[in-house]
Structure formats: C-alpha cells, structure tokens
Amino acid sequence: DAPMVSESDPQAKSLGYVANASKADKAKFTKFAAGQNCSNCSLYQGKAGSTSGPCPIFAGKQVAAAGWCSAYVKKA
Ligand code: SF4
C-alpha cells in the first residue's frame, strides 16, 4: 500500500491535514464541522469500512479515514 500522508508534509500543513479530524485547527478552518472526516469526503477513495485510502489531493499517498483537511467536500 502507498505510505500514509504525514501531518508534517508541506502540502498537508498548508491544507491543515490531520490524521484525526478532531485535531483539525477549528480556529483557522472555520468551515470545519464536527462529523466531517475523510471517510465522508467526496474525494476519499478508500473502500467502505477501510481505515485509510487514497485521496487525489495527496497523490501517491493514503489518508486516514478519520482524517480531515481543508479541501473537504461532503459526500453527496
Ligand atoms: Fe480527506 Fe477529503 Fe482532505 Fe482528501 S480532500 S484529505 S479525503 S478531507
């Protein structure tokens, strides 16, 4: 499997990615709402029930299903 995105990755930092959505910077990213995480983001490509999966924002890496970043788009 592809490696996990590191929170210290420059792109992860600029997008405010965190592996645990509850750690999202809510002061900086005021659009964050409780309950949002990668597993219910329309960009998440992991299988249902997976703990991690690909995301086109972070090509070649995997994001945590429980993660979050400011590119979040609610799954329709
Ligand atoms: Fe997670 Fe969506 Fe951000 Fe990708 S775009 S890291 S799936 S919140």
Side-chain angles (χ1 to χ4, degrees):
D1 286 349
M4 296 297 292
V5 173
S6 166
E7 291 180 4
S8 57
D9 175 288
Q11 189 184 0
K13 279 192 160 171
S14 71
L15 287 169
Y17 172 81
V18 285
N20 182 336
S22 68
K23 303 266 169 57
D25 186 342
K26 298 163 191 76
K28 186 171 179 185
F29 303 109
T30 54
K31 71 169 197 166
F32 175 83
Q36 293 181 353
N37 60 46
C38 293
S39 74
N40 57 42
C41 172
S42 65
L43 290 146
Y44 183 67
Q45 296 175 348
K47 294 188 183 76
S50 58
T51 56
S52 65
C55 167
I57 298 286
F58 298 101
K61 301 256 174 75
Q62 297 207 67
V63 298
W68 186 86
C69 90
S70 58
Y72 177 87
V73 180
K74 188 176 168 58
K75 198 179 276 183

